[in-house]
C-alpha cells in the first residue's frame, strides 16, 4: 500500500501522518482540561460563598438568641421572683408581657437607625443595649429596678429582632434566601431551649440567687456580637443606597457564585435605589401611613402575618408552659421545669426541618401545614384541659398537644413570618416597613402575655386555648387569600410581582431561578 508523502524542510520524504486529527485530539484534551479546571473553580467558589453567607447569617442571628432566652428563662425565673420579691399576679403579667410592648419602641427606632448608620451597626447597638438591661435585671433589689432593666432589654431585643431578617435577606443569594433568613427563628428557638435548660440547671439554688443567675447568663450571647462585627459585611443594598457601589459589588462577589449573577443583582439593586431616590420627595413614614394600593397590599400581608404569628398564642404557650402543665396535673416545680425542656427541644428540632424545606417546598405550603396543625393542637389542648385534666392521661395528652403546637408553629408560622416580612417590601421601605411588622408582632405578643393569666382566671385555661384555636383557624383563611409564594424570586422581582409586572402562579418559578434552585438544593 502506497503511503502519501510529506516533504520536510530538507526535501526528504516521510510517511504522511494525520497531523490534523492529532492536533484536534490535543485541542479536545486541552478543552476538557480547561472545562474540568473551570468546574473545580466554580465548585470551590460555590463552597466559599455558602460558607461565607452562612457565617454572616449565623452572626447576624445572635441577637435573636437573646429574645428566645428571655422568653424561655422568664417562664421559670418568674416562679422564684414571685417568692423573692413578693410580686403580685398583675405585676407578674406586667413583668412578662412588658418586654414585648417595650420592644416595639426598639423596632420602631430600628427602621430609622438601620437606614442611617447601617444594618451592621444597628445589630451592635442592639447587643449593647440588651447587655445593659440584662445586667440591671440580674442585680435588681426590687420590682421597680427589675422593670428598668426589663425596659432596656426590651429596646435592645426590639432593635435586634427587626434588623436580623432584613440584613440576612439583603445579603443572601436568591435561591437560598429562605434558608438563611430562617436563621433568626432558629436562634430564637435555641435561646428558648437554653432558657429552659438554665431554669432546670439553677432551680436548685436559693430563691434569692437562682433567678439572678438565670437572667445574668443571658448576657453571654451578646458578647459574641463584638466578634461578629469583624466578620460580617454591611448590606450591599444599604451600600448602594449610600452611593457606595464598588463596596456593594465587593460584598456581592462574596455572596453570589457567578460574576454575571453579581452584575445582574447589582443592576437590580441600583434600579431599585434609583426608584428610591425618585421617591424621596415623599417621606417613608408618610408612604406607610398613606400607602399606594401596591404598598397597602404588601402591608396587609406583612403586618397581618406578623400579628397572626402571636395572637394564635405561641408566647402564652411558651411563657406560661409551667402554668399550663400545672393545670393539667403536674405540681412539682422540678418536674414542671423538666417538662418545659421537652417543649423547648421539640420547638428547636422542628425549626431545623423548616429551614431545609422553606426554599424547596415553598413558603405557602409550610404555612398551610403550620396553621392547620396549630389549629388542631390548640383545640385538642383546650378539650384536654377542660375535660381530662388532673390525671395521668390528661398530663400526657396536654404535654403532647403543647409540644405539637410548638412543633407546627416552628415548621411554618415561626420562620416563614420573618422571611416574608423581610422580602416583600421594596428597598426604599424595607427597613421601616419591616420595623412596622415587628411592632405588630411585639404588640400582639405583649397583649397575649400580659392578659393570659387574667383571661384564664375568667374563662379557664382550656377556654383560653379554645379562643386561640379559633384565631388560628382564621390564620388559615388569611394565608389562603392573601399570602403570595415568594420562593425563587429576587427581592426586586418580588416587588414587581406585587406591582403586577411579573405574572406568576403559586409554585411557578422563572426558568433561570428554577435552574439555580435545583442546583442549590443538590448542594445543600
Amino acid at each position: 500500500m502506497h503511503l502519501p508523502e510529506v516533504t520536510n524542510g530538507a526535501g526528504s520524504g516521510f510517511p504522511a501522518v494525520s497531523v490534523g486529527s492529532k492536533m484536534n485530539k490535543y485541542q479536545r484534551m486541552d478543552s476538557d482540561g480547561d472545562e474540568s479546571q473551570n468546574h473545580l473553580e466554580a465548585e470551590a467558589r460555590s463552597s466559599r460563598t455558602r460558607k461565607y453567607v452562612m457565617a454572616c447569617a449565623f452572626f447576624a442571628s445572635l441577637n435573636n438568641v437573646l429574645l428566645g432566652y428571655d422568653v424561655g428563662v422568664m417562664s421559670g425565673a418568674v416562679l422564684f421572683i414571685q417568692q423573692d420579691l413578693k410580686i403580685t399576679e398583675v405585676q407578674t403579667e406586667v413583668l412578662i408581657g412588658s418586654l414585648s410592648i417595650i420592644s416595639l419602641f426598639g423596632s420602631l427606632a430600628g427602621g430609622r437607625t438601620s437606614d442611617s448608620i447601617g444594618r451592621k451597626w444597628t445589630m451592635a447597638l442592639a447587643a449593647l443595649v440588651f447587655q445593659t438591661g440584662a445586667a440591671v435585671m440580674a442585680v435588681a433589689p426590687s420590682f421597680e429596678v427589675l422593670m428598668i432593666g426589663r425596659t432596656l432589654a426590651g429596646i435592645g431585643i426590639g432593635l435586634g429582632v427587626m434588623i436580623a431578617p432584613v440584613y440576612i435577606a439583603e445579603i443572601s443569594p436568591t435561591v437560598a434566601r429562605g434558608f438563611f433568613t430562617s436563621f433568626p427563628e432558629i436562634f430564637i428557638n435555641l435561646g428558648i431551649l437554653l432558657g429552659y435548660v438554665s431554669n432546670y440547671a439553677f432551680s436548685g439554688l436559693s430563691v434569692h440567687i437562682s433567678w439572678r443567675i438565670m437572667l445574668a447568663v443571658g448576657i453571654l450571647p451578646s458578647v459574641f456580637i463584638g466578634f461578629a462585627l469583624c466578620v460580617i459585611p454591611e448590606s450591599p443594598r444599604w451600600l448602594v443606597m449610600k452611593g457606595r457601589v464598588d463596596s456593594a459589588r465587593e460584598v456581592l462577589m462574596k455572596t453570589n457564585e457567578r460574576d454575571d449573577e453579581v452584575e445582574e443583582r447589582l443592576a437590580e439593586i441600583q434600579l431599585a435605589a434609583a426608584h428610591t431616590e425618585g421617591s424621596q420627595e415623599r417621606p417613608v413614614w408618610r408612604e406607610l401611613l398613606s400607602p399606594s394600593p401596591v404598598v397597602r397590599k404588601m402591608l396587609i400581608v406583612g403586618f397581618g402575618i406578623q400579628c397572626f404569628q402571636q395572637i394564635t398564642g405561641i408566647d402564652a404557650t411558651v411563657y406560661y408552659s409551667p402554668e399550663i402543665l400545672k393545670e393539667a396535673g403536674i405540681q412539682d416545680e422540678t418536674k414542671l421545669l423538666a417538662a418545659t425542656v421537652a417543649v423547648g427541644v421539640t420547638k428547636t428540632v422542628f425549626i431545623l426541618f423548616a429551614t431545609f424545606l422553606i426554599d424547596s417546598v415553598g413558603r405557602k405550603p409550610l404555612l398551610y401545614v403550620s396553621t392547620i396543625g396549630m389549629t388542631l393542637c390548640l383545640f385538642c389542648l383546650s378539650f384536654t384541659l377542660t375535660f381530662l385534666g388532673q390525671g395521668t392521661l390528661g398530663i400526657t395528652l396536654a404535654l403532647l398537644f403543647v409540644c405539637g403546637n410548638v412543633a407546627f408553629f416552628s415548621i411554618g408560622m415561626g420562620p416563614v413570618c420573618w422571611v416574608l416580612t423581610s422580602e416583600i417590601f421594596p428597598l426604599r421601605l424595607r427597613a421601616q416597613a419591616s420595623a412596622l411588622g415587628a411592632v405588630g408582632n411585639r404588640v400582639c405578643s405583649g397583649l397575649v402575655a400580659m392578659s393570659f393569666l387574667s383571661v384564664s382566671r375568667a374563662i379557664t385555661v382550656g377556654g383560653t386555648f379554645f379562643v386561640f384555636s379559633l384565631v388560628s383557624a382564621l390564620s388559615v383563611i388569611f394565608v389562603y387569600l392573601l399570602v403570595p409564594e415568594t420562593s425563587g424570586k429576587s427581592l426586586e422581582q418580588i416587588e414587581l410581582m406585587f406591582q403586577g409586572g411579573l405574572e406568576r402562579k403559586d409554585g411557578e418559578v422563572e426558568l433561570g431561578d428554577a435552574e439555580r434552585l435545583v442546583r442549590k438544593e443538590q448542594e445543600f
Side-chain angles (χ1 to χ4, degrees), residues 46 50 173-180 257 354-363 485 487-489 507 509-510 512-524:
S46 175
R50 290 198 306 274
T174 298
V175 292
R177 189 177 59 247
F179 173 80
F180 290 119
E257 297 179 6
T355 300
F356 290 99
L357 293 174
I358 195 167
D359 284 312
S360 57
V361 174
R363 282 58 155 161
E485 180 57 73
S487 62
K489 291 290 183 186
V509 184
E510 288 183 348
D513 285 334
E515 291 172 346
R516 291 195 291 270
L517 183 59
V518 170
R519 184 174 68 253
K520 186 66 69 176
E521 287 171 5
Q522 293 171 345
E523 293 170 351
F524 277 99

Side-chain angles (χ1 to χ4, degrees), residues 134-147:
V136 171
M137 286 194 293
V139 298
S142 64
F143 176 76
E144 290 74 18
V145 177
L146 188 64
M147 285 303 301

Side-chain angles (χ1 to χ4, degrees), residues 228-291:
L229 296 176
C230 302
V231 176
I232 63 176
E234 184 52 84
S235 160
R237 286 164 172 84
W238 183 83
L239 291 171
V240 170
M241 285 176 63
K242 298 301 179 180
R244 297 163 58 182
V245 177
D246 290 337
S247 298
R249 181 180 284 108
E250 291 177 7
V251 176
L252 289 171
M253 290 290 290
K254 296 178 182 178
T255 60
N256 289 270
E257 297 179 6
R258 303 191 317 275
D259 291 342
D260 61 332
E261 188 176 3
V262 169
E263 294 305 322
E264 178 185 344
R265 293 289 168 257
L266 186 59
E268 289 178 350
I269 296 169
Q270 288 178 297
L271 182 62
H275 183 56
T276 298
E277 292 174 2
S279 304
Q280 287 300 314
E281 66 274 6
R282 191 180 187 198
V284 169
W285 280 109
R286 184 176 299 173
E287 186 164 358
L288 292 176
L289 295 175
S290 180

Side-chain angles (χ1 to χ4, degrees), residues 189-380:
N189 284 273
L190 179 61
I192 290 172
L193 177 59
L194 292 175
Y196 285 153
V197 171
S198 177
N199 288 340
Y200 185 71
F202 299 117
S203 61
L205 301 177
S206 68
V207 169
H208 181 68
I209 296 296
S210 57
W211 66 270
R212 299 178 187 277
I213 295 180
M214 292 174 186
L215 298 181
V217 169
I219 298 174
L220 296 179
S222 60
V223 173
F224 294 101
I225 298 293
F227 173 74
L229 296 176
C230 302
V231 176
I232 63 176
E234 184 52 84
S235 160
R237 286 164 172 84
W238 183 83
L239 291 171
V240 170
M241 285 176 63
K242 298 301 179 180
R244 297 163 58 182
V245 177
D246 290 337
S247 298
R249 181 180 284 108
E250 291 177 7
V251 176
L252 289 171
M253 290 290 290
K254 296 178 182 178
T255 60
N256 289 270
E257 297 179 6
R258 303 191 317 275
D259 291 342
D260 61 332
E261 188 176 3
V262 169
E263 294 305 322
E264 178 185 344
R265 293 289 168 257
L266 186 59
E268 289 178 350
I269 296 169
Q270 288 178 297
L271 182 62
H275 183 56
T276 298
E277 292 174 2
S279 304
Q280 287 300 314
E281 66 274 6
R282 191 180 187 198
V284 169
W285 280 109
R286 184 176 299 173
E287 186 164 358
L288 292 176
L289 295 175
S290 180
S292 65
V294 172
V295 173
R296 184 181 301 113
K297 189 187 306 181
M298 295 174 178
L299 287 172
I300 290 172
V301 174
F303 193 79
I305 199 71
Q306 288 278 12
C307 291
F308 269 116
Q309 189 200 54
Q310 292 300 326
I311 59 178
T312 50
I314 188 62
D315 273 5
T317 305
V318 176
Y319 271 128
Y320 295 108
S321 53
E323 282 75 10
I324 296 167
L325 297 174
K326 185 181 292 185
E327 180 75 12
I330 303 177
Q331 298 301 322
D332 183 74
E333 284 189 355
T334 302
K335 291 181 179 179
L336 281 173
L337 296 178
T340 60
V341 173
V343 176
V345 170
T346 302
K347 203 170 187 299
T348 304
V349 168
F350 277 86
I351 188 64
L352 296 177
F353 285 112
T355 300
F356 290 99
L357 293 174
I358 195 167
D359 284 312
S360 57
V361 174
R363 282 58 155 161
K364 201 161 183 176
L366 290 183
L367 283 176
Y368 281 137
V369 172
S370 178
T371 51
I372 293 172
M374 288 169 60
T375 301
L376 294 174
C377 287
L378 289 167
F379 178 80
C380 291

Side-chain angles (χ1 to χ4, degrees), residues 308-309 311-313 367-379 405 408-409 413 465-479:
F308 269 116
Q309 189 200 54
I311 59 178
T312 50
L367 283 176
Y368 281 137
V369 172
S370 178
T371 51
I372 293 172
M374 288 169 60
T375 301
L376 294 174
C377 287
L378 289 167
F379 178 80
N405 182 45
F408 279 113
F409 176 86
M413 187 63 89
F465 277 95
F466 178 72
V467 173
F468 287 146
S469 71
L470 295 179
V471 175
S472 185
L474 291 176
S475 71
V476 180
I477 300 172
F478 178 86
V479 169

Side-chain angles (χ1 to χ4, degrees), residues 120-194:
K120 175 178 175 178
W121 294 107
T122 300
M123 288 186 279
L125 179 63
L128 180 63
V129 175
F130 179 87
Q131 280 180 324
T132 305
V136 171
M137 286 194 293
V139 298
S142 64
F143 176 76
E144 290 74 18
V145 177
L146 188 64
M147 285 303 301
I148 293 174
R150 193 77 168 152
T151 300
L152 292 172
I155 292 173
I157 285 176
L159 283 168
V161 164
M162 70 75 45
I163 195 57
V166 172
Y167 172 82
I168 296 171
E170 291 186 343
I171 67 163
S172 299
T174 298
V175 292
R177 189 177 59 247
F179 173 80
F180 290 119
T181 311
S182 62
F183 271 37
E185 185 67 19
I186 294 176
F187 278 66
I188 288 176
N189 284 273
L190 179 61
I192 290 172
L193 177 59
L194 292 175

